[in-house]
Amino acid sequence: MDRVDATEHFAQHAQGDLPSLLVLIIDINPIPWTTNPLSTALPFNTALSNLLLFLNAHLAFSHTNKVAVIAAAAPRGGGAKILYPAAELPTDTKGRPQSRPPQPAPQPGEPNKYRPFKDLEEGVLAGLGKVLASVNEEDDGTDRTVVSETRIAGALTLALAYINRLAGAGADNLGQTLTKGTGTTEAGTMQSRILVVSVAGDVASEYVPVMNCVFAAQKKHIPIDVCKVAGNSVFLQQAADATGGVYMKLDAPNGFLQYLMMAYLPDPAARQHLVLPTQANVDFRAACFCHKKVVDVGYVCSICLSIFCTVPPDNICMTCQTKLAHTVGGMVVRKKKKKKAGTATGSGAGTPTVGTPRP
Amino acid sequence: MADSDDEYIGSSGDERGKRASNSRKQKGAGDAGKERWEEIQRSWDNVVEGADGSISAAVVGLLEQNKRKRLLKDTTPLQRGIIRHLVLVLDLSIAMEEKDFRPTRFLLQLSHACDFIKEYFEQNPISQLCVIGMCDGLAKRISDMSGNPVEHISAIRKLRANGVEPKGSPSLQNALDMARGCLWNSPTHGTKEVLIVFGALHTCDPGDIHMTIKAMVQDKIEVRIVGLAAQVAVCSELVKKTNSGSLAGYGVAMDEKHFRDLLMANTTPPPTRQANTNASTLLTMGFPSRFSNPGHPTLCACHSNPITSGYMCPRCMARVCALPTSCPACSLTLILSTHLARSYHHLFPLANWVEVARHDVKKRSPKLCFSCERPFPKLAALPPSSTVAATGDLATKRTSNAPVPGVKAVPSISSTGRYACLDCGKWFCVDCDIFCHEEVYNCPGCEADPEGKEKRQREKEALAAKETAQTGQSSAAQGDAMEIDG
Amino acid sequence: MSGSLQSFEQLEALPPATFKKLYQEPCTTLALFRRMLPNLAKSIVMAMLYQDDPVPMSFINAWVKPTSRREKEMALGKLRRLCITSEKNQKLTLDATFKASFREALTGGSRSFGTPCTTEDKHPVTVEYLDNYATAQWEAILHYMVGTESERKPSEGVMRLLVAGGLMEKRSRRAEITQAGFSFLLQDANTQVWTLLLQYLSMAASLRMDHVEILHFFMLLGSLDLGQAYSKAGLTPTQLNMLEDLRDYGIVYQRKSSSDRYYPTRLATTLTSESAALRTVQQGFDAAMSQSGQGFIVVETNYRLYAYTSSPLQISLLAFFARLSQRYPNLVTGKISRQSIRQAIRMGITASQIIDYLTVNAHPQLRKNTPVLPPTVVDQIRLWQIEGERMKATPGSLIRDFSTERDYRETLNYAEELGVLLWRNDQKRWFFVSRHEQIADFIAQRARAQAAKAQGRA
């Protein structure tokens, strides 16, 4: 739209900073945290206090910034649990939210803290305490052996659902950078991102749910940042790459706080101006379903899309149990057909052609 | 024609034309003597006053119902054609100048076609598309069969930019013949589909269209049509013959939103019909790895453009710039595993969640949605089920008159605002329901609490075993996972 | 919204010693960090916060994308002016006091965030009461300025402040509103509060109150909790004096001047939030303020105006620039016309202020549009304004008298990169820039480099 020119009597007022939501997913799988080398380089307590400081820093940026914390690999449940914000107490009969529990009044002269920071820290620690205490709950017969891989799909799904609730359904991160400074801050203008602090590898059976989450995040332009303190995860690499997030494998875990402050703190608006660490080569190759080894050239069943490294025995697909047509060197033999008009293109190729067909 | 009414009543073998009989068949549960145009639907009947005299409760109910309407798709895992070859036929005839869809049918068709192409490639990354137009009695090729959405969208935009205006009559036969030609070379393991947007009420063909239809059936091409004006007999015959007797592929749009819904319903892969079982083959595909040499550009093999980063074909080491594509040197299909992963949610769909009935909400039931922790509305604040059921029925009637393929009619909406997953037993709110079914395709309860899900499974099995022991009959047999729809 | 940053820029003019004293309190550092720094500057500060060594400039240059050079220069300039960073030997160092206080703010451990009261209040005060109190006080001031009759008159101190700030002037016996006063009225609540407070700050020098302590108290108020009582222990005498004045503005509530506890009202707790952030907070406040909940103005493309309000204050504000025709119990309708806008401009209101006011108070139904107000109306208001003026003055500096073409070209390119170049004349080798400090630095630097080279050669 052509605006009338040359009538700015006041200096261009800076665009109000948009509120930003950070969802932190902490991997609390005990095996990596309690074994060397991580337990000496970065003990869990230190890591937790660094993370709390990082969250405070995020809140310090702006009055409207928000934080949520989710724990992955929780002992009870095995998947994920929201630690902070704690579940809202339902409104009482008059519709007003119930007052928060009375807090012990601090002594005069006692050091105090900026209230939102205090609430955050207490909330996270309380939630974490509850989750860890649930280890001692009674057993009910489910198999609870702790594995050294972490299930991440549940945490990602919870994070996305929470973002969806806060940012409003149909909201889109990109949408706000296009609106000018008269931005409203009701639901629909919240910029969000997810940060995963991961210490373990992937659970292979989670491939489909994790990819579903990644595509949903990609569609809503929510970057998934990954801070790999230990372990190796291909899914998270692909997630960060597909959504435009930052992926870093920490070489020096004792510098955890500085890594967080520098690479993971800038919000999506500031990231436009900064050069961020990227991954040069993400391994997008698939793992075959039969032997779990990485394949370069594989065979794909056209019904269920499962990948095999060699032709399966008896030509029967392992997942969907359908008999597959006989393949000759990867190409399907096809009978020549009488054509209506025009040229014949002979044997059908096993691969879709891109050229111009003639009618 | 006042006495024609009497002739319609009760006589079935009527020679008034297929259209009349079709419309009567579709009346369904309507009155025996009334025509469809006599059944007036008053939209203000939907709004019912609540007990306190305000309509806010009914409005909330209507909003929720709208939200859930498109959710109730059939979610049994069907075998679907994932690798699709679709020909999109646009109508560029003079009938598209009508302004009953804003701004004109023609412009709306083009904008929806662009959205359709984007969504199609998002949902089916390894498929291909080709766009044809029916203009002035001829079939014009707008873009060629390819897997790159940008090409198609820019071709459509160019059409608009070059000032092409709708002209003349559409020719269904020519379009079908051209589509057949486009699909000639496509391999058997993929589906062959034609989607026609038809705004006119006639077609102007050079030969016998029934021969063309027979040829389409022989080639196993499925045709689906979105009509804009009214149901046309030859279209319904076309759809019926190519879809093994089912008329579900033919929809006539009632308003702009419905038009869009009909068009977008075709982005989900169609269930495989019995006739195509020989389409199961093992395809050889390559999974290239990325390379990047900043500062040392090389030429890509597909367009001869200089690139600094791209993908290397694992078989012949040729460099390509974008995926998915087929290697220009050795014709190997090159894709990323993420492209395959995009289609998994069609094969393993997320089961629908059921509404929690009023009597199941007890004191100890969860008060918060499991995934977003939003408190559920209090039961007392919600409209009583009777009001809701009434509106539900009216809406049901409305939606059943214009079936969107694949969507069941809305039975009734929940009067509790709580939706439960059958596998893990957790309760969710309506926003999470929509979000999980339309965007994420994961159940947060099943993912975040696999142990709870396991526990529930065991309980269900124990219950089923008890029932079996009691009744001696086998519990409902699980359908075969790869059910083929007829 | 445009005014708030301007009012903060006055703070930049403070001498470095004041800043050093300001940064001793963690709550002030937090408030200044939030309110005064652009986004990029905040990221830079955070990155350097936990580093002990100075950071080389080359590092910062490599970290910021080359295309965002303008934002980088702006951020670094701001940091320098606020004395948060200092540059030496091509390395950037964070000011030590700032660093220490900010770290303390993040980790806690100071007492600068207000000491809540430990004993129970005998006359407990609810949030609603505080809101009503703040509203009543604040509206009294505004009503007084507009000239409508209201039961409560603001106190003498307030009236003196308004006159001293140029918002009103004494004419004959009554005080009349000035042009600056009009612009004040059309701003949003937060900006208005800050304008008054900054005016208070400048008057404080004459009352011999310490600048730093006043600013400390402002920032402290901004970080307090609504509805919580705070004790007066720990406040300096200057700050205790201020409490009295702040009561009059409705920022703080005290039952009696002698009671030893005070309650911050919503006006106080939103002092250090950004203007955009205030929308969500403002909703609660507006509900108390003008009883109209969220925005209430609907502007149509045919220049008609509908305002769902019954507050005399808002109606008089609207009457400044629109011709009101009908009034209903909850609605006022009118038309924006050429006469009404020109009349407003004659009074000193600018088109941008009118447009900002309409946007800020736009009805939620209107907010769903993008852009919020109909562009025809917005453009026309601006056009009516520039009908009255044919010339626009831009302050700046003219740079001329270059000895060589090369000097001219290089300096010109530098100015262009910075984005301050406004006009150039290549033949005469003159150009006009809006800000000259960086150009001056650049020229001096080049002169030094050339002199060094000449010396080295000789």
Side-chain angles (χ1 to χ4, degrees):
Chain A
M1 203 113 29
D2 293 320
R3 302 295 299 269
V4 175
D5 234 353
T7 50
E8 295 295 347
H9 278 249
F10 282 69
Q12 269 295 60
H13 51 85
Q15 208 170 341
D17 287 335
L18 295 164
S20 166
L21 165 66
L22 169 66
V23 180
L24 173 69
I25 298 181
I26 316 180
D27 183 354
I28 53 175
N29 194 334
I31 297 188
W33 279 117
T34 50
T35 52
N36 280 324
L38 199 55
S39 58
T40 40
L42 186 67
F44 187 62
N45 287 333
T46 323
L48 195 60
S49 50
N50 284 349
L51 281 172
L52 287 175
L53 199 64
F54 167 71
L55 293 176
N56 283 348
H58 175 80
L59 287 179
F61 262 60
S62 159
H63 188 86
T64 48
N65 278 0
K66 289 203 189 0
V67 168
V69 181
I70 301 180
R76 207 94 330 206
K81 200 127 179 46
I82 300 186
L83 298 180
Y84 176 85
E88 272 168 33
L89 305 165
T91 58
D92 60 15
T93 45
K94 294 209 193 74
R96 280 191 306 246
Q98 292 175 0
S99 55
R100 52 187 120 148
Q103 314 211 321
Q107 301 303 315
E110 195 187 76
N112 62 7
K113 200 181 267 206
Y114 185 44
R115 190 54 177 274
F117 293 171
K118 194 156 85 130
D119 285 341
L120 170 71
E121 289 178 13
E122 287 179 359
V124 173
L125 291 174
L128 196 58
K130 256 201 293 201
V131 165
L132 292 176
S134 68
V135 174
N136 297 329
E137 275 172 20
E138 283 172 29
D139 211 351
D140 54 359
T142 42
D143 180 21
R144 280 194 210 292
T145 48
V146 185
V147 288
S148 63
E149 277 93 24
T150 308
R151 289 177 166 270
I152 202 90
L156 282 174
T157 317
L158 286 180
L160 287 171
Y162 187 75
I163 291 177
N164 180 51
R165 170 192 165 192
L166 237 56
D172 179 355
N173 263 5
L174 263 198
Q176 297 97 51
T177 50
L178 299 175
T179 55
K180 293 279 283 168
T182 56
T184 52
T185 48
E186 39 254 36
T189 55
M190 176 89 75
Q191 279 193 329
S192 22
R193 65 191 200 275
I194 300 180
L195 169 62
V196 180
V197 174
S198 161
V199 293
D202 308 314
V203 178
S205 61
E206 284 212 319
Y207 181 61
V208 176
V210 169
M211 292 317 280
N212 281 339
C213 293
V214 169
F215 295 139
Q218 202 178 21
K219 210 160 168 194
K220 297 194 117 174
H221 304 284
I222 298 176
I224 298 183
D225 300 328
V226 178
C227 183
K228 211 92 194 49
V229 186
N232 210 356
S233 163
V234 182
F235 296 168
L236 290 177
Q237 265 185 353
Q238 294 188 3
D241 187 75
T243 54
V246 175
Y247 176 92
M248 276 178 80
K249 192 163 165 46
L250 300 193
D251 299 320
N254 31 12
F256 190 42
L257 182 62
Q258 187 58 22
Y259 277 112
L260 286 176
M261 293 293 233
M262 188 130 178
Y264 295 102
L265 193 55
D267 58 4
R271 282 182 194 190
Q272 292 171 347
H273 304 300
L274 295 172
V275 175
L276 293 164
T278 48
Q279 310 168 64
N281 298 307
V282 182
D283 196 354
F284 275 113
R285 293 176 298 171
C288 73
F289 283 35
C290 42
H291 307 111
K292 301 276 183 287
K293 57 176 188 195
V294 174
V295 290
D296 272 338
V297 180
Y299 298 94
V300 175
C301 164
S302 64
I303 306 294
C304 63
L305 296 186
S306 26
I307 306 170
F308 304 107
C309 49
T310 51
V311 180
D314 291 337
N315 280 357
I316 295 200
C317 167
M318 282 194 242
T319 14
C320 62
Q321 316 298 328
T322 37
K323 186 141 176 52
L324 301 164
H326 179 55
T327 60
V328 175
M331 312 256 255
V332 176
V333 177
R334 186 173 151 168
K335 291 200 293 264
K336 275 200 187 330
K337 277 174 127 170
K338 287 206 194 54
K339 285 150 215 52
K340 187 178 174 213
T343 55
T345 38
S347 70
T351 54
T353 53
V354 188
T356 315
R358 271 165 292 209
Chain B
M1 300 258 279
D3 41 71
S4 60
D5 284 348
D6 301 341
E7 285 184 51
Y8 280 169
I9 297 174
S11 53
S12 50
D14 198 72
E15 282 94 59
R16 281 283 168 168
K18 290 191 186 153
R19 204 194 305 188
S21 59
N22 275 346
S23 65
R24 211 156 2 104
K25 279 194 201 128
Q26 283 179 357
K27 250 194 294 186
D31 288 354
K34 276 198 165 171
E35 287 298 310
R36 267 181 53 196
W37 51 266
E38 285 180 332
E39 289 166 6
I40 310 170
Q41 273 154 3
R42 303 178 182 85
S43 59
W44 58 85
D45 282 345
N46 275 352
V47 176
V48 179
E49 264 187 28
D52 54 353
S54 80
I55 57 169
S56 52
V59 170
V60 163
L62 277 175
L63 284 175
E64 265 209 21
Q65 177 192 323
N66 275 338
K67 281 188 196 171
R68 283 211 92 211
K69 195 159 63 172
R70 72 183 72 193
L71 266 204
L72 299 182
K73 296 199 192 90
D74 198 7
T75 54
T76 48
L78 298 169
Q79 179 181 349
R80 292 177 185 270
I82 298 291
I83 304 173
R84 306 169 69 183
H85 301 273
L86 181 88
V87 177
L88 177 66
V89 180
L90 300 176
D91 189 350
L92 303 175
S93 65
I94 195 76
M96 297 301 277
E97 289 270 282
E98 287 284 325
K99 294 198 175 51
D100 56 354
F101 292 145
R102 303 250 137 242
T104 63
R105 284 187 193 168
F106 175 58
L107 293 171
L108 192 65
Q109 173 191 246
L110 291 184
S111 72
H112 281 169
C114 292
D115 291 338
F116 172 78
I117 293 173
K118 266 191 248 160
E119 183 74 19
Y120 173 78
F121 280 107
E122 255 182 40
Q123 298 287 326
N124 311 283
I126 45 180
S127 312
Q128 304 211 323
L129 183 73
C130 159
V131 184
I132 289 179
M134 298 190 285
C135 181
D136 207 9
L138 300 171
K140 250 208 258 185
R141 185 192 312 257
I142 298 177
S143 75
D144 294 329
M145 185 70 92
S146 91
N148 186 359
V150 174
E151 238 179 77
H152 299 298
I153 295 183
S154 59
I156 293 187
R157 295 238 165 94
K158 223 180 352 176
L159 194 70
R160 186 84 193 91
N162 286 345
V164 169
E165 290 296 330
K167 188 156 77 147
S169 308
S171 168
L172 211 50
Q173 187 179 8
N174 286 339
L176 288 176
D177 280 335
M178 190 178 256
R180 242 183 94 226
C182 287
L183 294 172
W184 185 253
N185 290 325
S186 52
T188 41
H189 59 79
T191 65
K192 294 190 206 166
E193 305 163 41
V194 180
L195 176 63
I196 307 182
V197 176
F198 202 62
L201 290 175
H202 65 286
T203 167
C204 187
D205 297 331
D208 187 359
I209 194 168
H210 297 285
M211 302 296 286
T212 317
I213 298 181
K214 240 190 264 192
M216 305 283 279
V217 174
Q218 236 181 354
D219 280 350
K220 303 209 182 75
I221 300 178
E222 291 177 6
V223 180
R224 274 185 282 276
I225 305 186
V226 176
L228 297 183
Q231 189 176 7
V232 180
V234 66
C235 291
S236 50
E237 184 188 330
L238 175 62
V239 171
K240 238 200 308 204
K241 288 229 169 95
T242 49
N243 285 310
S244 326
S246 143
L247 208 50
Y250 186 18
V252 178
M254 292 201 309
D255 49 43
E256 282 125 356
K257 192 157 177 304
H258 191 218
F259 176 28
R260 196 195 161 88
D261 287 341
L262 286 173
L263 202 58
M264 291 304 181
N266 287 296
T267 54
T268 49
T272 321
R273 295 183 187 281
Q274 200 126 30
N276 287 348
T277 37
N278 64 345
S280 48
T281 48
L282 207 55
L283 308 162
T284 315
M285 293 202 180
F287 299 95
S289 41
R290 188 148 74 179
F291 73 91
S292 109
N293 294 327
H296 299 281
T298 169
L299 293 181
C300 77
C302 33
H303 310 106
S304 301
N305 290 339
I307 48 168
T308 48
S309 68
Y311 302 91
M312 286 216 315
C313 168
R315 202 154 68 176
C316 67
M317 301 300 167
R319 287 164 198 212
V320 290
C321 46
L323 296 179
T325 183
S326 93
C327 173
C330 64
S331 311
L332 177 66
T333 317
L334 299 174
I335 52 171
L336 294 174
S337 49
T338 44
H339 294 135
L340 290 180
R342 269 194 200 273
S343 306
Y344 283 149
H345 69 85
H346 294 301
L347 298 172
F348 312 114
L350 181 61
N352 275 330
W353 295 339
V354 291
E355 314 119 22
V356 173
R358 255 186 175 209
H359 56 263
D360 281 335
V361 178
K362 303 199 176 47
K363 264 209 181 311
R364 295 187 50 190
S365 321
K367 294 200 173 38
L368 305 169
C369 166
F370 178 77
S371 54
C372 65
E373 304 215 322
R374 180 189 298 189
F376 288 127
K378 283 197 159 332
L379 280 186
L382 290 166
S385 12
S386 56
T387 338
V388 162
T391 53
D393 276 342
L394 274 175
T396 319
K397 223 192 260 182
R398 189 153 180 254
T399 50
S400 65
N401 284 340
V404 178
V407 176
K408 282 207 205 113
V410 178
S412 79
I413 68 157
S414 164
S415 52
T416 54
R418 297 154 167 78
Y419 301 87
C421 167
L422 290 175
D423 287 324
C424 59
K426 305 269 191 301
W427 288 10
F428 303 96
C429 64
V430 65
D431 288 322
C432 290
D433 189 357
I434 298 171
F435 182 61
C436 293
H437 280 97
E438 294 208 335
E439 308 219 14
V440 186
Y441 307 107
N442 279 345
C443 168
C446 302
E447 296 301 328
D449 192 8
E451 292 176 14
K453 180 177 169 188
E454 253 176 74
K455 198 162 79 159
R456 210 180 131 87
Q457 284 289 83
R458 273 181 299 155
E459 282 172 10
K460 270 206 286 201
E461 281 166 17
L463 204 61
K466 225 176 13 173
E467 276 179 13
T468 323
Q470 282 179 354
T471 59
Q473 288 171 359
S474 64
S475 50
Q478 299 267 336
D480 191 27
M482 293 292 166
E483 210 175 26
I484 300 178
D485 191 17
Chain C
M1 271 197 276
S2 47
S4 60
L5 276 189
Q6 277 191 331
S7 43
F8 263 99
E9 273 165 18
Q10 292 182 21
L11 287 182
E12 282 183 28
L14 293 173
T18 324
F19 277 120
K20 265 234 172 333
K21 272 194 276 176
L22 275 178
Y23 292 148
Q24 279 168 354
E25 289 289 326
C27 70
T28 321
T29 49
L30 185 63
L32 284 177
F33 174 81
R34 263 189 186 177
R35 200 70 208 266
M36 298 200 64
L37 293 180
N39 213 352
L40 191 58
K42 289 183 188 169
S43 310
I44 296 179
V45 167
M46 282 296 188
M48 294 200 299
L49 188 63
Y50 279 92
Q51 291 243 13
D52 295 320
D53 307 321
V55 172
M57 278 303 291
S58 53
F59 183 71
I60 306 258
N61 289 336
W63 193 34
V64 181
K65 280 191 194 158
T67 43
S68 309
R69 198 169 152 184
R70 180 142 163 242
E71 280 84 6
K72 181 184 72 167
E73 295 290 329
M74 220 167 60
L76 289 176
K78 200 86 179 218
L79 288 174
R80 215 174 320 154
R81 277 195 298 275
L82 290 176
C83 301
I84 297 182
T85 59
S86 54
E87 207 177 302
K88 210 169 33 162
N89 298 342
Q90 292 292 313
K91 286 196 196 211
L92 207 63
T93 342
L94 204 56
D95 180 58
T97 356
F98 182 86
K99 198 192 281 200
S101 317
F102 202 63
R103 283 192 198 181
E104 231 184 275
L106 285 183
T107 51
S110 69
R111 269 179 290 123
S112 89
F113 284 100
T115 39
C117 268
T118 48
T119 58
E120 270 300 310
D121 195 353
K122 286 182 289 258
H123 308 266
V125 159
T126 62
V127 173
E128 263 179 76
Y129 180 82
L130 287 174
D131 275 343
N132 287 338
Y133 177 78
T135 316
Q137 294 285 77
W138 193 252
E139 290 218 323
I141 300 179
L142 293 182
H143 276 294
Y144 175 67
M145 286 181 73
V146 172
T148 58
E149 292 303 315
S150 75
E151 311 94 31
R152 301 182 64 150
K153 280 192 116 38
S155 70
E156 278 300 315
V158 173
M159 296 209 249
R160 255 182 295 134
L161 188 73
L162 291 175
V163 172
L167 297 176
M168 304 197 70
E169 50 187 9
K170 269 214 169 320
R171 247 184 253 163
S172 57
R173 274 180 303 150
R174 284 203 45 178
E176 297 269 318
I177 192 168
T178 60
Q179 291 189 2
F182 279 124
S183 18
F184 175 78
L185 279 179
L186 289 180
Q187 291 163 346
D188 58 304
N190 187 283
T191 325
Q192 291 172 336
V193 173
W194 266 112
T195 319
L196 280 190
L197 288 180
L198 288 172
Q199 183 55 39
Y200 183 82
L201 185 69
S202 45
M203 272 183 20
S206 58
L207 299 174
R208 268 170 292 148
M209 296 198 328
D210 191 5
H211 261 152
V212 177
E213 301 209 347
I214 298 181
L215 280 172
H216 274 319
F217 198 49
F218 288 160
M219 305 300 173
L220 172 68
L221 284 175
S223 63
L224 295 181
D225 234 3
L226 186 61
Q228 168 83 311
Y230 289 87
S231 87
K232 287 210 293 205
L235 296 181
T236 66
T238 323
Q239 294 173 339
L240 288 171
N241 276 342
M242 282 171 66
L243 268 184
E244 185 69 44
D245 296 318
L246 292 177
R247 266 180 75 196
D248 291 332
Y249 304 150
I251 295 179
V252 149
Y253 168 72
Q254 258 186 318
R255 221 167 59 79
K256 287 189 299 219
S257 342
S258 55
S259 61
D260 56 333
R261 61 180 71 232
Y262 62 94
Y263 291 87
T265 65
R266 211 178 277 272
L267 281 173
T269 52
T270 54
L271 268 180
T272 51
S273 321
E274 292 94 20
S275 32
L278 282 180
R279 288 278 103 224
T280 44
V281 183
Q282 195 91 354
Q283 281 170 15
F285 187 62
D286 275 345
M289 265 284 256
S290 44
Q291 283 140 19
S292 49
Q294 303 161 15
F296 53 91
I297 301 183
V298 177
V299 180
E300 288 185 333
T301 52
N302 53 5
Y303 299 91
R304 293 207 191 157
L305 187 80
Y306 302 91
Y308 288 87
T309 178
S310 48
S311 137
L313 179 68
Q314 303 290 350
I315 295 177
S316 9
L317 284 182
L318 284 173
F320 283 149
F321 57 85
R323 198 161 48 88
L324 298 179
S325 52
Q326 289 155 5
R327 183 171 172 171
Y328 300 92
N330 67 335
L331 170 69
V332 170
T333 65
K335 232 173 135 74
I336 298 180
S337 70
R338 190 161 171 269
Q339 272 95 338
S340 64
I341 296 288
R342 292 197 49 194
Q343 170 200 329
I345 295 193
R346 252 195 305 262
M347 282 200 288
I349 310 176
T350 66
S352 306
Q353 284 173 333
I354 297 176
I355 293 168
D356 278 344
Y357 176 73
L358 288 175
T359 322
V360 162
N361 289 310
H363 193 272
Q365 196 69 10
L366 202 62
R367 264 192 225 281
K368 292 190 193 152
N369 300 343
T370 37
V372 178
L373 297 178
T376 44
V377 177
V378 170
D379 286 348
Q380 187 63 283
I381 295 181
R382 289 198 210 268
L383 279 173
W384 280 327
Q385 180 187 269
I386 57 177
E387 270 180 7
E389 57 196 62
R390 306 301 177 92
M391 294 177 55
K392 176 186 163 193
T394 322
S397 334
L398 177 70
I399 316 272
R400 61 177 186 173
D401 289 343
F402 284 96
S403 39
T404 65
E405 178 72 27
R406 205 168 134 247
D407 283 346
Y408 170 69
R409 286 278 159 208
E410 287 190 6
T411 325
L412 185 71
N413 288 338
Y414 181 70
E416 213 168 343
E417 271 178 3
L418 285 184
V420 298
L421 180 68
L422 290 172
W423 173 85
R424 64 205 271 184
N425 185 335
D426 289 337
Q427 280 187 332
K428 290 203 216 161
R429 294 199 206 141
W430 288 0
F431 63 91
F432 194 83
V433 288
S434 50
R435 303 186 75 118
H436 64 273
E437 302 94 358
Q438 283 156 319
I439 309 288
D441 284 339
F442 180 73
I443 295 179
Q445 216 178 355
R446 281 190 77 241
R448 272 198 301 256
Q450 276 177 349
K453 221 191 321 183
Q455 236 184 13
R457 239 183 288 149

